[in-house]
Structure formats: C-alpha cells, structure tokens
Amino acid sequence: MGKFELPKLPYQYDALEPYIDKMTMEIHYTKHHNAYVTNLNNAVTGTDLEKKSLEELLASASKVPAAVRNNGGGHYNHSMFWTLMKKGGGGTPAGKLADAINAAFSSFAEFKAKFSNAAATRFGSGWAWLIVQDGKLVVSSTPNQDNPLMDVADVKGTPILGLDVWEHAYYLKYQNRRPEYIENWWNVINWDAVAERFSAAK
Ligand code: MN3
C-alpha cells in the first residue's frame, strides 16, 4: 500500500460494450492503471515527493523523476478517463458547455472533427484533450502519459475531456483501426461529467 490508490471503476467491465469490449476494460483497469498506481507509489514512498499532491507532482513534471512523471500522469489520466464514460452515454452536451463548444469551434460537429483528428494524428502513444485555457476551450494532445496540467506540456490548461489512444486502449477489439475506436468512443461519453469538470474549471 502507498499514498495513491486505484479508484473504484464506476461501472462493470462490460458496461461500455459494444464500443469498448469487456476484456479491454478489465485489462486496462486491473493491469495498466493498477501498475501506474503501484509504480507511482514505489517512486515517491520514502522521498520528499510523498508529501505532494498528484496535481503538485504533475505541475512540476520537469523536475521530478521520469517514473513520477510517467506513472503520476498515468494515474491521473486514467482516473479521469473512467469517469468521462458511461453506459448509454454519447449524444451531445447541453447548457453552458454546449454554448462554450459552439463559441470556440463554431459547432459540435467542428469540435468533434477537431478532437478526433487530434486523437488520430497523435503519433505513437498518448492522449487527446479538451481543455479550459484562460476561460476558453482548446483541443490539444500529449505524448505518453503527459497531460495539460504538466509544466512540460506544449499546450497547458485544465483538462475536462480526454481520450486514451495508447494501443492498449483499443487493440484487442480494433487492432490497428484507431479511427474506428475514436469514432465509436463518442457513443460512451458522459457529457454530464464533462460539464461538471467544465463548471469547476472556470
Ligand atoms: Mn491507458
């Protein structure tokens, strides 16, 4: 045991079928995310970094050991990712989030195209993001387990939506067809959760 813990998955492994298959969910959560938590704990336990919050560790990513940057990012990104999806999700956002998306990208369709392109064109492993930056919505992407909260990020801000495009997130079901995984993922987005993050970020 260490300071950081694997959060409870808010649904069953098969909840996001057929878009995200049960085996991928189970391995992704119990193996990949769990390993980030274990390795993060191993990297900070007994050091000064043990006193820092996860957000503080991410904000100083350029100064912490690579194991803290990689596994701290992995823990943060996946903890967020699970909450951004739900059974019966999808559709389009409403309210202030919808207004902000229309203001920033002209339309939901334009936003979806821009985000999907960021996810599809991230070379190798990484994430696509919708972030709040100085009160405005911006689409970006990061390599590996980096994220927009890190001081090393090219585009910084508060992430409110993120998509994991590591092969481990889709390869069992989609093999090399990352664009198909991305397109199907829009059917499981929990827009209420994204809207909550949006209002908290303002
Ligand atoms: Mn992953």
Side-chain angles (χ1 to χ4, degrees):
M1 283 296 288
K3 171 177 179 169
F4 298 104
E5 290 180 25
L6 186 67
K8 193 174 176 348
L9 196 67
Y11 35 72
Q12 302 295 309
Y13 297 132
D14 64 357
L16 306 181
E17 291 266 11
Y19 308 111
I20 298 180
D21 62 286
K22 181 183 178 183
M23 185 178 285
T24 295
M25 273 303 304
E26 183 166 359
I27 294 172
H28 202 173
Y29 173 74
T30 65
K31 306 294 185 191
H32 293 274
H33 189 176
N34 194 48
Y36 297 128
V37 174
T38 300
N39 293 334
L40 176 60
N41 281 325
N42 288 342
V44 300
T45 300
T47 78
D48 288 347
L49 298 176
E50 198 172 7
K51 302 184 195 78
K52 306 263 189 198
S53 70
L54 184 53
E55 287 75 10
E56 287 172 324
L57 294 174
L58 300 178
S60 55
S62 66
K63 301 180 190 75
V64 298
V68 175
R69 170 177 171 175
N70 292 333
N71 293 291
H75 178 36
Y76 184 95
N77 295 346
H78 289 83
S79 298
M80 178 175 174
F81 186 50
W82 311 135
T83 68
L84 297 172
M85 302 181 286
K86 69 172 184 179
K87 187 181 187 68
T92 54
K96 289 180 177 168
L97 175 58
D99 294 343
I101 286 175
N102 290 333
F105 307 104
S106 302
S107 67
F108 180 78
E110 294 267 344
F111 157 67
K112 181 179 173 182
K114 189 164 188 179
F115 187 101
S116 293
N117 185 61
T121 58
R122 165 49 56 190
F123 185 76
S125 298
W127 292 74
W129 304 102
L130 175 64
I131 67 177
V132 179
Q133 182 189 67
D134 301 326
K136 286 188 183 158
L137 291 175
V138 176
V139 165
S140 71
S141 76
T142 53
N144 305 312
Q145 293 296 354
D146 285 358
N147 70 40
L149 296 174
M150 293 183 174
D151 61 353
V152 294
D154 292 334
V155 183
K156 297 179 192 60
T158 304
I160 63 170
L161 179 66
L163 174 59
D164 187 346
V165 294
W166 281 57
E167 285 187 345
H168 69 226
Y170 62 87
Y171 208 85
L172 289 177
K173 181 177 174 70
Y174 296 98
Q175 292 83 52
N176 63 322
R177 304 187 305 279
R178 188 195 286 189
E180 190 181 329
Y181 158 69
I182 295 167
E183 182 59 32
N184 279 345
W185 172 75
W186 292 90
N187 294 307
V188 297
I189 297 177
N190 181 349
W191 285 111
D192 290 338
V194 182
E196 267 179 46
R197 288 180 182 273
F198 176 60
S199 53
K202 290 175 87 176

